Amino acid sequence: MTSIGIVGGTGYTGSELLRLLAGHPQAQVRVITSRADAGQRVADVLPMLRGRCELAFEDPAQAPLGDCDLVFFATPNGTAMEQAPALLDSGVRVVDLAADFRIKDLAVWERWYGMRHAAPALVEEAVYGLPELNREAIRGARLVANPGCYPTAITLGLLPLLEADLIEPSRIIADGKSGVSGAGRKASTGLLMAEVGESFKAYSVAGHRHEPEIQETLRLGTGQALGLTFVPHLVPMVRGIEATIYATLKRPGVDLTSVFAQRYESEPYVDVMPAALPVETRSVRGTNLCRLTVMEPQDKGVAVVQSVIDNLVKGAAGQAVQNMNLMLGLPETAGLDGVALAP
Amino acid sequence: MTSIGIVGGTGYTGSELLRLLAGHPQAQVRVITSRADAGQRVADVLPMLRGRCELAFEDPAQAPLGDCDLVFFATPNGTAMEQAPALLDSGVRVVDLAADFRIKDLAVWERWYGMRHAAPALVEEAVYGLPELNREAIRGARLVANPGCYPTAITLGLLPLLEADLIEPSRIIADGKSGVSGAGRKASTGLLMAEVGESFKAYSVAGHRHEPEIQETLRLGTGQALGLTFVPHLVPMVRGIEATIYATLKRPGVDLTSVFAQRYESEPYVDVMPAALPVETRSVRGTNLCRLTVMEPQDKGVAVVQSVIDNLVKGAAGQAVQNMNLMLGLPETAGLDGVALAP
Amino acid sequence: MTSIGIVGGTGYTGSELLRLLAGHPQAQVRVITSRADAGQRVADVLPMLRGRCELAFEDPAQAPLGDCDLVFFATPNGTAMEQAPALLDSGVRVVDLAADFRIKDLAVWERWYGMRHAAPALVEEAVYGLPELNREAIRGARLVANPGCYPTAITLGLLPLLEADLIEPSRIIADGKSGVSGAGRKASTGLLMAEVGESFKAYSVAGHRHEPEIQETLRLGTGQALGLTFVPHLVPMVRGIEATIYATLKRPGVDLTSVFAQRYESEPYVDVMPAALPVETRSVRGTNLCRLTVMEPQDKGVAVVQSVIDNLVKGAAGQAVQNMNLMLGLPETAGLDGVALAP
Amino acid sequence: MTSIGIVGGTGYTGSELLRLLAGHPQAQVRVITSRADAGQRVADVLPMLRGRCELAFEDPAQAPLGDCDLVFFATPNGTAMEQAPALLDSGVRVVDLAADFRIKDLAVWERWYGMRHAAPALVEEAVYGLPELNREAIRGARLVANPGCYPTAITLGLLPLLEADLIEPSRIIADGKSGVSGAGRKASTGLLMAEVGESFKAYSVAGHRHEPEIQETLRLGTGQALGLTFVPHLVPMVRGIEATIYATLKRPGVDLTSVFAQRYESEPYVDVMPAALPVETRSVRGTNLCRLTVMEPQDKGVAVVQSVIDNLVKGAAGQAVQNMNLMLGLPETAGLDGVALAP
């Protein structure tokens, strides 16, 4: 069994890591930290883990993270860049579920995240952990930047179109919708159920941090600079992301579904569906899957991609475990074989 | 008091008409029909109306609709075109909340609705009941085609941009989201709460009937033919529509909010908000309002409009009452002064 | 127009007062305070009130509350007992929507609310504002303690049974369920939609403050001491309270529905329904109504009462307006005539 | 691998069996029937199973169910009693997830289910499949009657109290709450999201079929006849049952939690929690667990039990798999080791 650590275990990505790793045949969480809950048993703080996790939260300053084979940072932005260097130096691999190492362009990162970067050299070294794009690099990586939730859904929806040079890159629309768990577990009036239940709205319309992440990933991955407008929306549900993506096709009559099917043929976690099937967030709930369709409605020259993921799994903890499996030489799908919980 | 009839009173638009007219100072529902519930007291079928409605449902064949000043059709598509002609002949004004008279182009209508039109001459006569576009024509109309829910939200969001010639009409994206009451009250597996609760999806991506309605309305209203891609989505909530609309600006630096504010300056039911405020469906719940913002995120040349309505009010029964008020010479806002129910 | 003040206008009971009073024909809010939002326009903080409220929040220390005819306290527990005395001295009537004056027994109050009472004399003077029990006393009152939400639903469900001496008072079960708006608008992890959405639980099972309130009200109102077990539950919805109440009948064969119908015959806001009709929270959404049924299932000697209210209306702001109307000699139903918003 | 058949695979209990058995190490579904969907691939009808189920639905008349080791009936009431006899005769074991064999008293069964029983002898033979009560009998059974969802939650909550003779059996209150998936997947106006979303109500207050099931099970299991009042409620969520149970204690001062803990000490799927922990339906979502607390609030002599299950797992398909494991001599927990999906 490989030995795993989690820094910041009381947020939703942390508890989702615990859920997934509880069923992992070759990895075991040995250390989990939480400043606020240090000393408490995990199963008392997160009762859904009763009987499945015997650990107690440890203070991050004392926790023996250096003894782990791999450490996940399930922390707010800005933490991993401070603490990862020491771990890496002692030979521990690191997957950061926050945004510290996702964007290579430091100036862009510092503008969107509002802080100076503490470890610029590691930004360069870090591998962007989208296995469908960077699988081989992830295998050898010491440090993986786990992608954002929207970027996962949207990048997977655009990659085949851009790689096959099928769309105009200059004006792409990505209309994203997320369940509320995407906003994390911090006390906030704006995320109370009485505020967001039974209502729907866009947010961050003027600009969202995931936009530069998508732009850079696709520019580095396909060599094409994008003109992308991304608007996220908040859905009155707990889990799930749907993105509907609109792009102008360069030529008519292409069998888009085949292009996608071929691109993702050997991918264990991308399911290209026939265009007639519904693309529902519940069809991936609890799983590491991205399900997709693509079509050109009424032959109007506009490709419409629908892409769904579970924001806490393929959009966070599941993809992190997929990256962990690759980094540690384990079977890529280990611990990730649950069937979607629907209804 | 003017005397009002409702054909088809047990669906959501019918019961919403009853809710709104229960508080109308100058109009009273005298006749309400329902084939299925004929003979039953309205308040027994719709308990929320107990104490507020003493009527019983009547059989449509016997009901004295001809004695009403105005009759609303809250029926499935295809009913009003059969029954409205006789009522109009006997001097009754008619507002159809279904789609029978919304589209002038009969060939388009027949293709999208899958039936032959029974009253082509009335299609020509009917006025499309969007007061913000056709107020004067509505005042004189015998027959008003009440707009669809998505078309109301989207048309109001595009009108100022097209009228002021600010956007390229050839490639507009309208990403619509609706609560489940928009699908009506028919028994259907696909609308069970266990199917659509806690999940999100697009539907009718290959083509939705509201697209030709929007296209024609804006073409007739602004003289510009649109290239419009419209994708509707189902939100796990009961009421509300949000549309996020994307269009390429023809020139930079226009104060878009001012353009909208000026266009809708004297409109009682369009609220142009500062771009920084959230555009939430709950902020219009139960009201006849359309709230809107418009902005050009990051000066990228793309206008983004957010538009919300209550699908059962401004998107159906409320707009129908607004049209009724205009047709009967009553104050336009009579019966429509509720404040949004939020939270 | 009478002149109204609201202390603490940004919580849910405060904004609901604004919603209801916006449509009141004889009362106008002239002053509204909020420490946190002082100086801001109400309509900027609560956008659903755009166009319906021109006030700005004022600092509580400076606000001219003394010029009002009546002031509502929509504040946390412990505020009204500090500030109401001065207002009362200057001739302003006061309705407290919090719990400061709800319980006559000071020792009980201080134990459950964890503070010393600042105005014991006013506790004695205050009238418990349940019009169905204390209408005449409310008319003459300077100070009204507006009942809690659960107590309103449960007390109305038990009153007819106790007054007619139909049930054993010694072992009553009240199983209450509330939407999340009942917990208020404070930032709290436990009320995030990601925590309480799509889940159901009981809370405060060991004891809830509303239990002594119900006990005392019914003891004072009927002369019978209760043995009451009350367990509240949190429902993943925004508004609404349902209580299912179980009590042992003293004798068989009583027409319980008639007893209730007679007791509430002239009550404008209690609707005793036939036992066969569903008692849904949505059937009172946005209204000041309590809808009830009572039955003895399978003649087993147990009375089962179902009672629903909108926790923010009959359970808070609506009942407060009803009390205001009585105190100021206005028609009891003024401003409270909305029809339930369903679906 | 044992070979499994499912009759009626398109309802929620059928698809949940597929979800659970997809991960079962020693059992494989070989045959699945559906009259309506015969010939269609399972993964086309239930897209969440894409990649995890290669079967097609077969016509029940032709399907080779006789070749299976065990067949689940996930059918409406009245089907298994017709079809199970032939299967049993050919040596196939049967688990009925419907109610055909749950109640020994035929007169009671026929009154509540409104039909004549087609296989009275099998009613006598059938074992009520609550492992916590009947584990040994289940091991040897040819035919298991899988318990209802409410009966599972409530029976487990009452068993320790009755077995230890701690409560008066004559007046027990069980207030049950269920997510909407409990009502199944049939098209029905009353279960539309627009009808049941954002609302709460009791139903079947005059009498529910699960009441005689609970009564008989506990009478047979403990020798005590119950006076039980059971009222079910519908919660606006998809999955989950919570029951709050009230019973009069015979004597004070008993450590109730210890009694429960001891009773369920070796049970893999009953989790007796400390009384201070919240008993949330989400804490068992997707799992076969029943989580419970018991307490005597304020020493009033009333025991209050909170019990939660996932209605589709421990309340249906999961318990059926647990029974299957016992009947086939497999490890009792095989295929049932998922961690709860929360949030």
Side-chain angles (χ1 to χ4, degrees), chain A residues 171 175 177 194-195 198-200 202 205 211 228 231 233 238 244 246 248 281-282 285 298 300 306 343, chain B residues 171 175 177 194-195 198-200 205 211 228 231 233 238 244 246 248 281-282 285 298 300 306 343:
Chain A
R171 198 186 142 222
D175 192 286
K177 298 90 176 178
E195 293 292 306
E198 192 58 20
S199 190
F200 186 90
V205 183
E211 190 172 301
L228 171 70
V231 175
H233 301 73
V238 177
T244 304
Y246 306 84
T248 304
T281 59
R282 66 173 187 160
R285 181 159 45 218
Q298 302 168 63
K300 285 182 178 175
Q306 300 170 61
Chain B
R171 198 184 143 224
D175 193 285
K177 299 90 175 177
E195 293 292 308
E198 193 57 20
S199 191
F200 186 90
V205 183
E211 188 172 303
L228 171 70
V231 175
H233 301 72
V238 178
T244 305
Y246 306 84
T248 305
T281 60
R282 66 173 188 158
R285 181 159 46 220
Q298 301 167 62
K300 286 182 179 176
Q306 300 170 62

Side-chain angles (χ1 to χ4, degrees), chain B residues 113-142:
Chain B
Y113 288 89
M115 46 183 132
R116 272 196 75 69
H117 207 289
L122 288 181
V123 173
E124 200 163 337
E125 177 187 338
V127 177
Y128 188 76
L130 192 70
E132 293 77 7
L133 188 62
N134 294 328
R135 181 169 283 108
E136 288 317 309
I138 293 165
R139 280 196 223 273
R142 290 197 312 162

Side-chain angles (χ1 to χ4, degrees), chain A residues 192-212:
Chain A
L192 296 179
M193 179 153 183
E195 293 292 306
V196 297
E198 192 58 20
S199 190
F200 186 90
K201 67 171 177 185
Y203 63 98
S204 298
V205 183
H208 186 282
R209 292 161 170 185
H210 285 173
E211 190 172 301

